[in-house]
Structures are given as C-alpha cells and as structure tokens.
Amino acid sequence: MKITIFGSGYVGLVTGACLAQVGNHVVCVDIDEDKVARLRQGEVPIHEPGLDAIIAETAANGRLVFTTDAAAGVAHGQLQMIAVGTPPDEDGSADLSHVLAVARTIGQHITDYRVIITKSTVPVGTADRVRDAVAESLAERGVTIDYDIASNPEFLKEGAAVGDFTKPDRIIVGCDSDRAETLLRELYMPFNRNRDRVLVMDIRSAELSKYAANAMLATKISFMNEIATLAERVGADIEQVRIGIGADPRIGFHFIYPGIGYGGSCFPKDVRALASTARAVGLQPALLDAVEQRNFAQKHVLFDKLNQHFEGQMAGRTIALWGLAFKPDTDDMREAPSRVLMEALWAVGARVQAHDPVANAECRRIYGERADLQLSDDPYTALDGADALVVCTEWREFRSPDFADISRRLRAPVIFDGRNIYDPQRLTEEGIRYYCIGRQQ
C-alpha cells in the first residue's frame, strides 16, 4: 500500500518505519528541512530501541522516503495520516493548528480519492474539523473530490513503541465509511494475524478512547502516589500494599508503582486536554483535576525530602542525579520529574551532577552550559564530591549498583530513591541513609 504520513516526530517515525518494514511504500512529510536532511542521512532524532535499524533498512530499500514536498506526499498515498504535534494551549486544550494546516494542505492538492486519518492525539470532534478544512480547500479550488475521514489513535509507549506497533493489544479504527474501513483493515493485516485486534467504532468514540486510556493510566499512577503519601504517615510499606492490591485481578500490577510523578509528552498533556474538553461542554472534571494536582505535588516530593534532610541548608550543596529522562529507554525529558527537581535545586543555590544513559544531550539542549550543572557520561563519576545521590529514573543499570563505591564517592552516604528500586534493609546494612517513596525512612 502507498501511505503518506505528515509529521516525522515520535508517532510519525515509528508508524512510518513499521509500516514500511512489512512492505508498504511510505512517504513521511515534514516542514523541518533540517530534520528531513538528517533523516535522509540516517540520523534519527529520537531514542527508541530498535527504530534506528528499521529506518536504515527501509530507507535503504526505498520503501521509506522523507521529504518536505507536501504536494508530492498528497499525490503518493491513498492513505494520508496526520501525525503532527498537538501542543497544549495556555488553557490546557490541544492546539490543533498543525493538524488543520495539514488538512487544508491535503485539500489543496488531492486529485482523487483519499482516506485522511488522524493519528495524532486529538480532542473529540477534531475529525469533523478536519473534514471541514478539507472541504473548504476543495471549495476554494472549485472541485469536488471524494474523500473519507478516519480516526486511528496510536497507543505507543516510549521505550517500547516498536513492539507496541508490531504486536498491538488493539487497533482502534473510527470511521463512517465501509471503503475506509476496508482499506484500514488491509493496512493492519500484517499486525493482526493470530486474532482480530481491530476494533471499529464511530469516529468520536475512537477519539475519546485515546484520551480516556491515557487518563485512566495517569489516574492509577496518581492514586498510588496518594496512597504512598498516606503509607508514610501511618507507618505502612507501600511496596507491600502494591503487591497486596495488585494480586487482585481486577486491579493488576500495571501502573501501580509509586514514584515521583508521570511525565513525557502524553499523560500530562492528555489529562489537561481531556479536562479542557469536559469544561467546554459544561462538565467539571473533578477527578481529572485531582489527578493533575497530585502529580504536580508528587514531582516536588524529592526536593522536600532533600530540604528536610539538610535542615533547609541547601545553598552550596552538590546533588548527584541518576536519570534525567521521564522514563527508561527514552531520551525524552518533556515534563520529566528530574527537571522539576533540578530547577528547585538551582533556585536555592545547589549544584547538580547528573548522569543519564541517553538523555545527557537532551538535557544540554534544554539547559545549555551552566556552572551549576555538570553532565557525566559515567554514573559513578557523577557522584564524586556530592552531598547525596538522587535516583529519578529507574534505568536497568541503576538497579544493582556498587553501594560501597557509592559510599566512597559521596561526602556522606545518603540516597534518595524516587523509584523504590532498592531494598531498605540492604542499604541499612551498607551503612547508607535511605529515603524512598511510601516506606519508612
């Protein structure tokens, strides 16, 4: 099949590469000339396990092409996927300007039937606005051309996106046309062989499903963080509580790990956008607001623990950070808890020595060169002369460290673990003062 994808960001690249890998011919269109040039040279701008190899393979055999030529992109694919960004506006609602700009571009250039698919995470009703934008462009041209609109939201986890795309739990298709449904079923047939994972529904339900899924997962995280705070106050161990409730199959173990809040490009933005959608139709989203408020508070927990430990004497301290990305296996630092912590430390005159397996460059891009930030390529070098170690991201290489070496390098042996990856008893035996989330200190 011939497919065009507008947007070569996270969703567009993963979608394009995986569709090309199974034999489709994919053109990715992006307005960023520098990004397109780098992609043509084999430079992938995001860290996603396995993606580089797929892009290299499919680009080399000509099944994946990158271009800035929108007209060529519209001419190429019968399926036109919109995978551009939907950043939050000031009120938290999703900014659809890029989505609608692509829709108008498609309307300006189509010459025969196309299925126009929203792959970006968009509010309920966006497909209607895309349909109208295309119709307006066609009216300006004075032509009538048949087209269909569909919603096909992505469910990709950063750090596991290739596997999520190629072995999906479900493939949601929102459409109101048998022709569009047939084409989308054909598109996903290679990923849908051992059982039918395609769930066809009306467009608005498909749009809401994506937001509802992310909001549900964010709610589980915020709920566990609230219970973790309670556990600290009443003398319970949140890790034992987690196991106790996770054993209930109605709850399960996914997304009930306490920590220092969720980040990234999806959960924060989508919870706010869904709340904005609710307000727009006269509904007060009390639960969604509470999820967001709990997450905001949770991102400040580590600083509060540090400040209390040092009795408010933070100026001049040096704090070592392990982990900058919002989660393992990605270099994404958007709304990462590490950023909240670092900025709070700088505000009181502390220095940061940080290490992340892949996000150091992203951190340098965000903050530039500054005297109170030192980025280290080695996790243990980041400890040298620091007053404490803080674990912000649960990368595998941090799970079984050399505690004796940590103690030798730190000015005093103290660890603040924002992800509960260490055993409190083991650290006590090592002579390390240990602070974590939802457990007795």
Side-chain angles (χ1 to χ4, degrees):
M1 301 182 77
K2 292 185 177 181
I3 303 144
T4 296
I5 300 175
F6 284 87
S8 294
Y10 188 86
V11 174
L13 283 177
V14 173
T15 301
C18 292
L19 289 175
Q21 189 182 36
V22 296
N24 298 297
H25 294 269
V26 180
V27 170
C28 287
V29 181
D30 202 289
I31 62 173
D32 188 333
E33 294 182 0
D34 180 62
K35 179 191 287 187
V36 169
R38 287 187 288 120
L39 284 165
R40 286 173 172 171
Q41 294 168 4
E43 297 179 28
V44 180
I46 61 173
H47 176 84
E48 182 61 39
L51 182 61
D52 292 31
I54 299 174
I55 289 178
E57 170 201 338
T58 53
N61 60 33
R63 290 201 302 268
L64 180 61
V65 175
F66 299 100
T67 184
T68 58
D69 188 342
V74 176
H76 171 78
Q78 187 174 41
L79 301 181
Q80 302 272 312
M81 290 188 167
I82 302 177
V84 294
T86 54
D89 272 338
E90 292 181 5
D91 62 356
S93 63
D95 179 356
L96 296 178
S97 60
H98 303 303
V99 171
L100 297 178
V102 171
R104 287 189 288 270
T105 296
I106 294 171
Q108 290 164 5
H109 295 290
I110 57 173
T111 57
D112 56 3
Y113 176 76
R114 293 289 184 268
V115 182
I116 303 165
I117 304 154
T118 52
K119 199 72 179 169
S120 305
T121 300
V122 294
V124 176
T126 298
D128 293 335
R129 297 181 64 181
V130 169
R131 191 190 307 273
D132 291 344
V134 175
E136 289 170 7
S137 291
L138 291 174
E140 290 172 0
R141 294 168 56 195
V143 298
T144 300
I145 298 171
D146 192 22
Y147 65 94
D148 282 315
I149 303 295
S151 173
N152 175 218
E154 52 84 16
F155 295 94
L156 307 177
K157 298 186 296 292
E158 290 194 43
V162 171
D164 287 342
F165 193 97
T166 57
K167 299 177 181 178
D169 299 315
R170 77 285 204 199
I171 301 165
I172 290 182
V173 171
C175 62
D176 51 15
S177 156
D178 290 341
R179 186 177 183 183
E181 178 184 337
T182 298
L183 287 169
L184 282 163
R185 284 187 177 278
E186 181 182 350
L187 175 69
Y188 285 109
M189 191 176 297
F191 313 104
N192 193 40
R193 295 196 61 178
N194 64 348
R195 65 178 175 84
D196 189 4
R197 295 178 171 87
V198 176
L199 306 176
V200 179
M201 59 187 69
D202 66 272
I203 292 175
R204 287 186 170 234
S205 295
E207 291 172 331
L208 183 56
S209 293
K210 168 62 177 182
Y211 274 123
N214 279 356
M216 172 63 81
L217 297 174
T219 299
K220 292 183 74 173
I221 293 170
S222 282
F223 175 81
M224 282 305 291
N225 284 333
E226 183 116 316
I227 299 301
T229 302
L230 177 61
E232 285 189 17
R233 297 286 181 90
V234 302
D237 184 334
I238 192 61
E239 290 301 314
Q240 294 184 34
V241 174
R242 178 183 65 80
I243 294 168
I245 67 174
D248 185 331
R250 297 171 300 174
I251 298 172
F253 288 101
H254 293 298
F255 287 87
I256 62 169
Y257 288 86
I260 49 176
Y262 55 77
S265 63
C266 294
F267 287 5
K269 175 174 68 71
D270 293 353
V271 169
R272 293 172 200 146
L274 186 56
S276 178
T277 297
R279 290 189 183 91
V281 295
L283 176 65
Q284 184 59 38
L287 178 58
L288 295 173
D289 287 345
V291 169
E292 173 71 10
Q293 291 162 10
R294 177 69 261 170
N295 194 60
F296 176 84
Q298 202 67 20
K299 289 183 178 181
H300 293 81
V301 164
L302 283 181
F303 177 80
D304 292 341
K305 290 179 181 290
L306 279 160
N307 196 46
Q308 184 176 4
H309 174 80
F310 291 111
E311 299 179 342
Q313 305 300 310
M314 295 297 298
R317 300 281 182 186
T318 297
I319 305 301
L321 260 65
W322 279 4
L324 295 166
F326 85 95
K327 63 181 287 187
D329 295 317
T330 181
D331 61 351
D332 193 345
M333 288 183 62
R334 285 174 287 185
E335 303 217 28
S338 65
R339 296 180 64 173
V340 174
L341 176 59
M342 286 192 294
E343 290 165 15
L345 290 169
W346 293 330
V348 295
R351 295 181 66 255
V352 172
Q353 297 176 177
H355 166 78
D356 188 283
V358 301
N360 281 1
E362 176 66 2
C363 185
R364 189 174 289 109
R365 184 193 68 81
I366 294 169
Y367 293 113
E369 299 294 338
R370 48 187 300 163
D372 50 9
L373 172 62
Q374 178 181 326
L375 296 170
S376 174
D377 292 331
D378 177 76
Y380 292 95
T381 302
L383 304 174
D384 290 341
D387 293 284
L389 165 62
V390 178
V391 179
C392 285
T393 314
E394 64 277 29
W395 285 93
R396 289 185 184 89
E397 68 180 66
F398 301 155
R399 291 180 180 272
S400 185
D402 185 337
F403 290 115
D405 196 13
I406 290 174
S407 295
R408 283 191 296 270
R409 292 173 180 266
L410 293 173
R411 290 181 182 172
V414 56
I415 295 177
F416 294 80
D417 180 2
R419 300 298 180 181
N420 287 4
I421 60 176
Y422 302 134
D423 177 6
Q425 183 176 346
R426 166 74 186 282
L427 267 68
T428 298
E429 294 170 354
E430 294 281 350
I432 297 174
R433 183 70 185 274
Y434 181 57
Y435 296 89
C436 50
I437 305 297
R439 315 179 85 174
Q440 293 309 293
Q441 312 301 322

